Amino acid sequence: LRARLKVAETSRPQVVPAYTAPPQSSPEARWKAAEVENSEHIKKALLLAQFSVELPDEPCAISFLSDQHISLGNTVDLARMREDAELIAATDGCYAILGGDATDNHIKHRSAALAARSQPSDQYELFEYYLGIFAHRVLVGIAGNHDLWTNQFAGVDVLGMLHAKHRVCYAPDEALLTVKM
């Protein structure tokens, strides 16, 4: 019986795979490659949040605006926000930094999303209008946790796209701004 099995095995045609994985490099070589790749990620993370600006040598003011939570049907004083943005836009030497949570963007918490009187798309539409009023005076925008939820859940940084559209420097997590005069 064994003799017949051996004959059957040797008469089988050879099957050749179209792809053969390259040999794995040594653990040491993979470690060294990972060191190089990670050092680039570290460099990017450190520099991505650093900005510098040279302002005119004259009196200036920098407003730090944060937690606007723009939404419809809420207690957000949109008229005052617009007036403040228009004041910053029209005042020589006046600039702003946006510190995050521009909208409610309740996509993370289902109960909050159901209770909201507006959807994130409505909120971002209003934020884009608001940013457009004084984008030329915004030195940098930073995301807050509400802003980052869309990126965490869908891989889309809406706030980053709106800042890019209005040519405003943007950092998703933090910003270090060096101001020179």
Side-chain angles (χ1 to χ4, degrees):
L1 182 63
R2 286 186 184 191
R4 284 193 319 193
L5 288 176
K6 278 194 169 198
V7 169
E9 287 178 18
T10 57
S11 64
R12 179 177 171 186
Q14 183 179 6
V15 178
V16 179
Y19 175 78
T20 303
Q24 288 279 359
S25 57
S26 71
E28 180 183 5
R30 288 197 308 263
W31 180 275
K32 287 181 179 181
E35 279 185 15
V36 170
E37 183 178 340
N38 283 8
S39 67
E40 188 60 31
H41 285 289
I42 291 168
K43 179 181 174 184
K44 179 181 176 184
L46 291 172
L47 296 179
L48 193 62
Q50 293 184 28
F51 304 91
S52 62
V53 62
E54 189 163 340
L55 299 177
D57 190 14
E58 57 188 38
C60 71
I62 299 176
S63 300
F64 187 82
L65 307 171
S66 178
D67 294 281
Q68 292 100 335
H69 289 276
I70 295 172
S71 60
L72 298 167
N74 208 332
T75 57
V76 177
D77 191 346
L78 295 174
R80 180 61 188 258
M81 286 179 60
R82 178 186 44 76
E83 291 167 0
D84 290 347
E86 290 170 347
L87 179 65
I88 292 168
T91 305
D92 289 338
C94 193
Y95 304 94
I97 295 173
L98 300 179
D101 288 345
T103 67
D104 275 342
N105 193 32
H106 285 302
I107 65 167
K108 183 175 183 178
H109 304 290
R110 183 173 296 207
S111 59
L114 293 172
R117 294 184 179 104
S118 63
Q119 295 299 309
S121 59
D122 301 319
Q123 297 165 12
Y124 279 118
E125 182 181 344
L126 292 175
F127 173 75
E128 183 175 11
Y129 171 77
Y130 170 73
L131 180 60
I133 295 170
F134 67 131
H136 64 288
R137 298 289 185 152
V138 176
L139 300 176
V140 66
I142 307 162
N145 63 320
H146 287 246
D147 305 313
L148 294 174
W149 289 337
T150 306
N151 198 9
Q152 291 168 352
F153 284 95
V156 178
D157 187 353
V158 177
L159 197 65
M161 291 187 303
L162 293 176
H163 279 81
K165 181 178 179 179
H166 289 275
R167 299 190 324 251
V168 173
C169 290
Y170 170 75
D173 299 310
E174 64 181 353
L176 174 64
L177 180 65
T178 302
V179 179
K180 300 174 187 172
M181 296 185 82

